[in-house]
Amino acid sequence: MNHTAEAPAVWDPSFAGADDCLLSSDQCVIRAEHYFVKGLIEIPVIGSDEMFSWGVWVSLSRESFSRAADMWNRPGRECEKPYFGRLTTDLPVYSPTTLGLKTHLHTRPVGERPCVELEPTDHPLAVEQRTGITLDRVQRIASAAFHSGASERR
């Protein structure tokens, strides 16, 4: 019920090891100019208590990233205001592209991945986040993601 992207779409393996670049399981910095946090887009599964989730990367401003990093291991971080960002994960099962969709990143208690709330547009991903998807749709997404190799199942 979860598919995740290992890095933002703009990450290049040649960045690994550079002093001004970082890629961890939760945060990414590219050339000390571009900042990203990993979060979950959660989509309710209709007729179930379960959620389907996409592990995605959201770009943040330097200021928002710095604040999120400062609060990363602090109890009470879930009380922070959401951070505005843009989706930097291409989910190929959606058209048009998901790259650049406006988001709000909501922190959760320490140890929990942030929640990504999409701006309420008519983009199919935003519609699914608001209205939910069927179990059949989950299976089609899983099959497409597995066959494309674009996402890794966790």
Side-chain angles (χ1 to χ4, degrees):
M1 296 293 276
N2 180 325
H3 289 281
T4 190
E6 296 302 315
V10 294
W11 177 262
D12 186 286
S14 68
F15 298 151
D19 290 342
D20 58 353
C21 296
L22 161 81
L23 177 63
S24 73
S25 60
D26 300 308
Q27 300 173 346
C28 178
V29 177
I30 298 177
R31 301 290 180 222
E33 293 179 17
H34 305 283
Y35 304 90
F36 311 88
V37 172
K38 193 169 192 179
L40 296 175
I41 296 175
E42 295 177 325
I43 302 173
V45 178
I46 297 168
S48 167
D49 292 333
E50 294 192 63
M51 290 278 199
F52 176 83
S53 61
W54 290 106
V56 298
W57 292 88
V58 172
S59 66
L60 299 179
S61 69
R62 177 189 308 255
E63 296 77 21
S64 292
F65 181 83
S66 179
R67 178 67 182 172
D70 287 347
M71 297 297 293
W72 201 256
N73 291 310
R74 287 192 192 173
R77 72 179 192 170
E78 64 274 14
C79 297
E80 286 285 291
K81 292 188 321 185
Y83 302 106
F84 174 79
R86 298 238 181 212
L87 195 60
T88 56
T89 299
D90 182 26
L91 301 173
V93 299
Y94 294 99
S95 181
T97 184
T98 55
L99 291 172
L101 291 176
K102 293 178 182 178
T103 68
H104 284 93
L105 185 79
H106 298 265
T107 53
R108 293 181 173 165
V110 173
E112 292 183 36
R113 197 169 294 287
C115 175
V116 177
E117 175 190 10
L118 295 168
E119 181 178 78
T121 65
D122 62 353
H123 189 282
L125 179 58
V127 171
E128 287 184 348
Q129 187 177 43
R130 287 192 312 271
T131 63
I133 58 176
T134 64
L135 190 53
D136 182 60
R137 172 74 172 139
V138 170
Q139 292 168 339
R140 286 184 283 138
I141 288 171
S143 178
F146 177 76
H147 286 64
S148 73
S151 297
E152 181 177 300
R153 189 173 184 150
R154 269 191 6 180

